[in-house]
């Protein structure tokens, strides 16, 4: 993940107000938009505006305004095709929830107005509901309409006329649809669908529309867009903390752009984001309320490829940002327009060269200071021999190399007990240090200086003399379903009854037996490569359950057929996070690795590990969690299950976490919280997270969790 706080900032655009083009009396006066503008788009040489009285306005480059009455009441959505003089709109001709879709041919006239070639009610399954978003394919053979009830209606065929087209409900869900985008690659058409809580892609080429869930995170209205070929036509989804990029079959990179996102667009290789300073969820402002208020709003222009902020400025109440005539136009609620014009290439290159020389000078000075205590020392990094472990370790070492340019790192790989025993379930061969003992022995003997682990492999109580010195930014912690090739496109719910699903985890099996009682769940051991080979080459399993993080790190995102959301399966303590274990008294190494700490991940994992430790759980009993840090509140959901999932306890607690990650040099506080020494995270925040985990565990214990876990442990030992 790239954090924009580390990105260089430039002024690659010039901002000017749009003024009246008139004579001496009008020249210099701010141009005023018509009142009541609610929706906007641009294309075919005009800015297209819709107002609350049903008018559609066209603003030309010479600032000439013309309009026509498109609806009797109001216009709610506009979509201007870029390659055709076709405009699609949604609006209302009568009170109530009765949205109408109208398609306009702007080159043909009907009584002086554009010709309306098609009109039909926007109602999914005869259930009146609010339209939330609209998208039209540039080849005019697809139109998608998203609704607040979670439906998506797809029109296929000639979208400009009623003949030679068919309309069907493509998608139904529980969450409001917030964004739609068509992606064309060769002859293959995909439709991205994002809701407040998840993201899907549909392959529209072929008889069956194959659906793939890409993620269990979503975004608010107007917070998604499609990039151009310079960024591989990726679907961009902007959440409060991060911006995520997606291909039709997998998630790509993400960027830590904080702040509540209001508007997201793509323009000539740049990502445009309008956001608020304060963090409040755009999902609460989904429909029926205005996502604008009197607060100042920040417009940032990001160059993702070069990792620079190309422009940043503050505006009042932005209505939208439109691209036309080679420039960006920012429309504000007070009726004004501001134009952002990109500077010439030579000016930008000179600014980049100057900044680069300054950065290199500062970096050299910083590295001399950081590496003074470790100079002439080879840093040996321990890891398991498995392919996934090596990939994870390589990623951590690469982060350290980028920060400490003059240090030398050597990777030492070794086999662990868990790697050697491949024919027995993990829960049957002991729960402590299966994948860590040999590595910790090497650390104790000074054969290595640090060890990289999957955090979920580390016990909550470490051997004396060791500590977790860093926890890196967490990957997706959820579990994923990989299907046998014959079941491509299915979900667990759509598998035939009695289908066999493989998993090596008691936690997964217990939850999924409870959620999908029609399926059978069996043990499957081996590393990722081995388990996938067993799935593909035999008919023993219809699907297997694996950690999404591991699949993504291996580059096998395309094998993910379904991401299990928290309603289906809570994840394991520490899942998706990488931990760096060091000798607790090796201050130089501890200081070095502390720069890798990700504050949010650290606090979430402290809460999870405290919950696990207080329950005295482990891999021999089904214990599961889900955590989230949002708006200075840390939420922890924890659960315990019987082996068959028939008995369970689950609850959620939260606590206030007010912190800002301290400077990268760290502090002198070496306090441990459930085996973690996070020197650059304030102790009071770590203590609050640990207390949350203990209190939630105590709550479940008071309700009978000890009995459930005791029975589960006895039954597992007897198997």
């Amino acid at each position: 993940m790239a954090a924009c706080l580390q990105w260089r900032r430039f002024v690659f655009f010039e901002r000017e107000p749009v003024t009246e083009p008139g004579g001496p009396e009008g020249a210099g006066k701010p141009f005023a938009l018509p009142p009541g503008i609610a929706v906007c788009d641009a294309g075919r040489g005009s800015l297209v505006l819709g107002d609350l009285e049903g008018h559609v306005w066209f603003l030309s480059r010479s600032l000439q305004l013309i309009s026509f009455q498109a609806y009797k009441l109001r216009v709610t959505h506009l979509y201007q095709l870029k390659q055709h003089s076709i405009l699609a709109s949604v609006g209302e001709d009568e009170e109530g929830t009765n949205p109408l879709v109208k398609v306009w041919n702007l080159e043909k006239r009907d009584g002086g107005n554009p010709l309306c070639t098609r009109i039909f009610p926007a109602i999914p399954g005869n259930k009146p509901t609010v339209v939330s978003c609209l998208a039209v394919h540039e080849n005019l053979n697809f139109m998608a309409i998203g609704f607040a009830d979670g439906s998506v209606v797809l029109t296929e065929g000639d979208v400009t006329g009623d003949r030679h087209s068919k309309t069907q409900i493509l998608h139904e869900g529980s969450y409001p649809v917030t964004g739609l985008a068509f992606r064309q690659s060769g002859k293959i058409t995909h439709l991205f669908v994002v809701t407040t809580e998840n993201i899907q892609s549909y392959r529209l080429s072929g008889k069956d529309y194959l659906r793939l869930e890409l993620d269990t995170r979503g975004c608010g209205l107007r917070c998604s867009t499609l990039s151009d070929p310079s960024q591989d036509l990726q679907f961009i989804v902007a959440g409060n903390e991060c911006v995520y990029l997606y291909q039709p079959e997998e998630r790509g990179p993400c960027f830590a752009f904080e702040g509540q996102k209001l508007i997201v667009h793509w323009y000539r290789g740049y990502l445009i984001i309008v956001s608020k300073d304060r963090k409040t969820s755009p999902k609460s402002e989904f429909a029926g309320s205005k996502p604008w208020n009197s607060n100042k709003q920040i417009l940032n222009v990001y160059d993702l490829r070069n990792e620079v902020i190309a422009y940043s400025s503050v505006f009042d109440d932005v209505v939208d940002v439109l691209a036309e005539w080679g420039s960006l136009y920012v429309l504000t609620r007070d009726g004004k327009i501001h134009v952002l014009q990109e500077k010439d290439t030579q000016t930008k290159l000179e600014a980049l060269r100057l900044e680069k020389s300054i950065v290199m000078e500062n970096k050299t000075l910083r590295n001399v200071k950081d590496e003074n205590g470790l100079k002439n020392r080879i840093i040996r990094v321990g890891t398991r021999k498995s392919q996934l472990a090596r990939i994870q370790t390589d990623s951590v070492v690469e982060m350290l190399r980028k920060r400490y340019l003059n240090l030398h790192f050597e990777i030492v790989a070794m086999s662990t007990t868990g790697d050697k025993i491949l024919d027995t379930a993990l829960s049957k061969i002991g729960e402590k240090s299966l994948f860590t003992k040999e590595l910790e022995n090497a650390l104790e003997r000074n054969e290595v200086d640090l060890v990289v682990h999957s955090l979920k492999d580390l016990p909550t109580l470490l051997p004396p003399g060791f500590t977790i010195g860093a926890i890196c930014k967490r990957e997706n912690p959820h579990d994923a379903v990989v299907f046998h090739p014959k079941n491509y496109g299915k979900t667990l719910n759509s598998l035939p009854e009695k289908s066999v699903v493989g998993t090596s985890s008691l936690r997964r099996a217990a939850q999924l037996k409870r959620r999908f009682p029609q399926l059978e769940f069996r043990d499957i051991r081996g590393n990722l490569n081995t388990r996938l080979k067993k799935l593909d080459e035999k008919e023993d399993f219809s699907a297997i359950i694996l950690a999404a993080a591991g699949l993504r790190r291996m580059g096998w995102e395309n094998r993910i057929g379904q991401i299990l959301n928290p309603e289906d399966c809570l994840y394991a303590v520490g899942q998706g996070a990488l931990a760096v274990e060091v000798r607790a008294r090796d201050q130089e190494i501890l200081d070095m690795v502390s720069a890798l700490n990700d504050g949010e991940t650290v606090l979430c994992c402290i809460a999870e590990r405290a919950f696990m430790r207080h329950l005295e759980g482990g891999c021999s009993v089904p214990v599961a969690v889900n955590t989230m840090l949002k708006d200075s509140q840390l939420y922890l959901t924890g659960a315990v299950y019987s082996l068959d999932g028939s008995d369970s306890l689950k609850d959620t607690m939260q606590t206030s976490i007010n912190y800002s990650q301290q400077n990268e040099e760290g502090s002198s506080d070496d306090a441990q919280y459930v085996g973690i020494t996070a020197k650059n995270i304030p102790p009071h925040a770590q203590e609050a997270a640990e207390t949350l985990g203990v209190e939630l565990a105590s709550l479940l214990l008071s309700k009978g969790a000890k009995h459930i876990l005791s029975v589960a442990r006895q039954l597992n030992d007897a198997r």
Side-chain angles (χ1 to χ4, degrees):
M1 174 183 292
C4 70
L5 293 177
Q6 302 170 357
W7 287 20
R8 293 168 292 163
R9 291 178 176 268
F10 296 92
V11 184
F12 286 168
F13 289 78
E14 293 180 333
R15 170 179 172 174
E16 294 181 0
V18 174
T19 57
E20 292 283 358
E25 294 184 2
K29 294 175 60 177
F31 179 82
L33 290 168
I37 297 300
V39 290
C40 314
D41 204 354
R44 309 299 293 176
S46 295
L47 306 187
V48 188
L49 319 170
D51 68 21
L52 297 175
E53 295 184 351
H55 297 100
V56 171
W57 299 80
F58 298 92
L59 179 63
S60 69
R61 190 169 191 175
S62 61
L63 300 183
Q64 299 300 309
L65 270 171
I66 60 172
S67 69
F68 71 96
Q69 189 81 39
Y71 294 89
K72 295 178 181 178
L73 293 183
R74 62 187 65 88
V75 184
T76 61
H77 297 80
L78 291 172
Y79 196 99
Q80 173 65 59
L81 278 294
K82 310 307 179 194
Q83 301 174 19
H84 304 274
S85 295
I86 298 295
L87 174 69
S89 63
V90 180
E92 298 171 3
D93 279 342
E94 57 186 29
E95 293 292 348
T97 306
N98 299 293
L100 289 174
V101 177
K102 296 183 181 181
V103 181
W104 310 88
N105 188 325
L106 304 181
E107 293 181 342
K108 297 182 179 181
R109 315 305 290 179
D110 180 15
N113 293 332
L115 176 65
C116 183
T117 64
R118 186 175 188 184
I119 180 170
F120 62 95
I123 300 176
N126 297 317
K127 299 179 295 182
T129 186
V130 174
V131 173
S132 55
C133 47
L134 171 70
V136 183
H137 197 297
E138 282 293 336
N139 63 15
L140 298 178
N141 64 356
F142 287 109
M143 176 190 293
I145 307 168
F147 295 87
D149 69 351
S151 303
V152 174
V153 169
L154 180 72
T155 296
E156 181 180 4
D158 182 8
V159 301
T160 65
D162 294 319
R163 300 178 63 185
H164 310 299
S165 68
K166 63 177 182 179
T167 299
Q168 61 180 302
I169 297 178
L170 175 71
H171 175 85
E172 292 183 293
S174 304
Y175 305 110
V177 178
T178 57
L180 299 164
F182 288 103
R183 181 186 191 270
Q184 190 71 38
S185 179
K187 296 182 179 180
I188 306 299
T189 304
H190 285 91
L191 174 65
F192 290 101
V193 178
V194 58
T195 74
T196 56
E197 302 297 333
N198 51 45
I199 304 165
Q200 295 81 210
S201 72
Y202 284 87
R203 178 172 171 149
L204 303 182
S205 303
K207 294 182 179 180
D208 298 322
Y209 295 154
L210 297 179
R211 172 184 174 273
L212 180 65
E213 185 171 62
L214 297 174
D215 216 334
T216 54
R217 54 171 63 86
C219 67
L221 284 169
R222 307 201 300 167
C223 290
S224 62
T225 189
L226 190 73
S227 73
D228 59 24
S230 71
Q231 196 68 35
D232 300 325
L233 293 173
Q234 296 187 87
F235 187 53
I236 301 173
V237 176
N240 274 9
E241 303 298 332
C242 297
V243 172
Y244 299 90
L245 278 62
Y246 298 87
Q247 294 284 1
E249 296 180 349
E250 62 186 11
R251 198 188 90 187
C254 60
F255 300 87
F257 302 157
E258 294 187 349
Q260 181 192 337
K261 315 302 188 300
L262 299 176
I263 301 169
V264 176
H265 288 300
W266 186 265
Y267 169 73
R268 292 186 174 182
Y270 292 112
L271 178 62
I272 315 299
I273 296 181
V274 178
S275 59
K276 293 183 181 178
D277 274 328
R278 59 187 179 86
K279 296 179 181 178
T280 56
S281 173
K283 299 173 187 178
S284 65
E285 299 170 337
F286 168 73
S289 62
K290 296 180 181 179
W292 313 287
N293 58 27
S294 59
N295 291 338
K296 298 285 186 180
Q297 296 168 4
I298 301 173
L299 184 149
N300 284 316
V301 181
Y302 299 99
D303 180 344
L304 302 186
R305 186 174 297 276
N306 296 307
E307 295 192 353
V308 300
I309 300 175
Y311 183 77
S312 184
S313 188
V314 176
F315 292 87
D316 289 318
D317 293 345
V318 176
V319 177
D320 211 339
V321 182
L322 305 178
E324 191 65 17
W325 312 307
S327 299
L328 291 171
Y329 292 84
V330 183
L331 283 59
T332 53
R333 188 62 48 191
D334 57 7
K336 296 178 181 178
I337 305 178
H338 302 264
V339 60
L340 300 181
Q341 295 180 322
E342 189 174 4
K343 295 180 179 179
D344 63 84
T345 302
Q346 185 61 35
T347 301
K348 293 188 293 182
L349 287 175
E350 290 176 358
L352 283 168
R353 281 195 291 266
L354 177 61
E355 178 70 12
K356 185 177 181 180
S357 65
I358 296 173
V359 168
M360 290 303 296
E361 182 178 350
N362 290 338
K363 196 169 188 179
T364 300
L365 291 173
R366 186 195 71 187
N367 284 329
V368 169
K369 179 177 182 294
D370 285 347
E371 298 167 16
N372 186 51
L374 296 171
K375 190 165 57 176
N376 299 322
R377 178 173 170 182
I378 296 176
I379 310 300
R380 293 178 172 84
V381 182
T383 181
R384 293 164 54 197
K385 285 186 176 180
S386 75
Q387 183 182 359
L388 176 59
R390 287 300 304 266
I391 288 174
Q392 294 177 162
T393 302
D394 287 345
S395 69
V396 172
V397 170
E398 183 62 24
M399 286 188 283
L400 290 170
R401 281 179 174 148
K402 285 182 178 179
R403 179 173 178 80
Y404 303 101
L405 300 178
N406 296 322
L407 292 183
H408 299 282
F409 295 87
E410 177 183 309
I411 295 177
V412 180
M414 59 194 76
S415 296
T416 65
T417 302
D419 296 315
K420 297 172 183 175
I421 305 176
L422 299 177
D423 57 352
T424 307
L426 293 177
S427 57
K428 297 290 293 178
I429 57 178
E431 62 180 84
K432 292 183 179 180
S433 306
L434 278 178
F435 297 103
T436 62
K437 183 177 180 180
E438 288 79 4
L439 294 167
E440 287 172 338
N441 288 343
L443 192 60
E444 184 177 26
R445 294 191 297 264
N446 291 318
E447 294 172 1
V448 296
D449 299 296
L450 58 101
V451 176
V452 178
H453 302 281
S454 291
L455 180 60
K456 70 176 183 178
D457 293 338
L458 281 172
T460 57
L461 187 62
L462 298 181
F466 298 116
T467 189
I468 298 170
I471 301 179
C472 305
K473 181 67 178 180
R474 195 176 209 166
E475 244 292 2
N476 185 337
H478 296 282
D479 292 312
V481 187
V482 178
F483 292 93
H484 189 281
K486 68 181 180 182
N487 295 315
Y488 179 78
K490 286 186 169 62
T491 64
L492 287 182
N493 208 36
S494 64
L495 285 175
E497 190 172 350
K498 301 297 183 182
S499 293
V500 177
V501 179
T503 175
S504 59
S505 162
L506 294 179
R507 169 190 58 83
R508 293 169 181 153
Q511 295 182 81
L512 296 176
K513 286 176 183 177
R514 182 184 183 92
R515 178 67 178 82
F516 303 100
Q518 75 278 16
L519 303 178
E520 295 183 9
F521 295 89
R522 296 180 189 169
D523 285 335
I524 181 171
R525 277 299 318 280
N527 57 36
L528 283 181
N529 309 62
T530 302
R531 279 181 270 179
L532 287 173
K533 187 175 181 180
K534 289 179 180 179
L535 173 68
D536 293 339
E537 297 183 358
K538 299 181 180 180
E539 298 290 332
D540 296 345
F541 298 99
S542 296
I544 59 175
I545 313 297
L546 301 168
L551 288 165
R552 286 177 169 171
R553 287 172 181 144
M554 292 284 283
W556 295 337
E557 295 94 336
N558 62 327
R559 292 303 309 268
I560 297 176
Q562 180 182 1
I563 297 288
L564 296 177
N565 59 43
E567 289 73 29
D568 293 330
C569 189
L570 300 179
Y571 47 79
V573 168
Q575 185 161 308
L578 298 181
V580 181
E581 188 178 15
V582 302
R583 292 180 290 273
R585 294 187 177 182
D586 193 337
Q587 288 298 322
E588 292 177 344
I589 296 294
L590 191 55
D591 288 342
M592 179 187 73
V593 302
S594 66
L596 302 180
N597 274 318
D598 176 78
E600 179 176 341
T601 304
V602 168
L603 295 174
C604 287
C605 290
I606 286 176
E608 294 171 15
R609 287 170 62 81
F611 173 73
M612 171 78 88
R613 178 189 284 185
H614 200 65
L615 286 175
E616 298 181 356
C619 69
S620 64
V621 289
V623 176
V625 295
N626 185 76
T627 51
M628 177 176 63
L629 182 59
K630 181 178 181 180
D631 300 333
S632 299
Q633 291 290 313
L634 180 60
Y635 300 85
L636 172 63
T637 298
V640 299
Y641 299 88
S642 61
L643 291 189
D644 62 1
S646 61
D647 198 6
S648 68
L649 284 170
K650 178 181 176 181
D651 218 318
T652 300
M653 295 181 71
Q654 68 187 80
T655 190
S656 295
I657 297 284
N658 296 310
Y659 91 99
S660 58
Q661 190 152 325
Q662 294 177 4
N663 65 74
E664 295 180 344
E665 304 299 327
S667 68
S668 59
D669 195 330
D670 288 349
Q672 280 196 29
Y673 298 88
V674 282
I676 299 168
T677 303
K679 300 188 68 172
N680 53 346
I681 310 297
H684 67 83
Q686 298 184 65
E687 184 176 350
E690 184 180 48
T691 300
L692 175 64
V694 171
E695 290 181 349
L696 181 59
S698 298
L699 176 63
L700 294 191
L701 288 170
S702 71
K703 294 181 178 181
K706 185 174 182 179
H707 174 71
I708 293 175
L709 294 177
S710 177
V711 172
R713 189 174 283 109
Q714 292 172 14
L715 290 175
N716 183 58
D717 291 342
R719 288 199 303 169

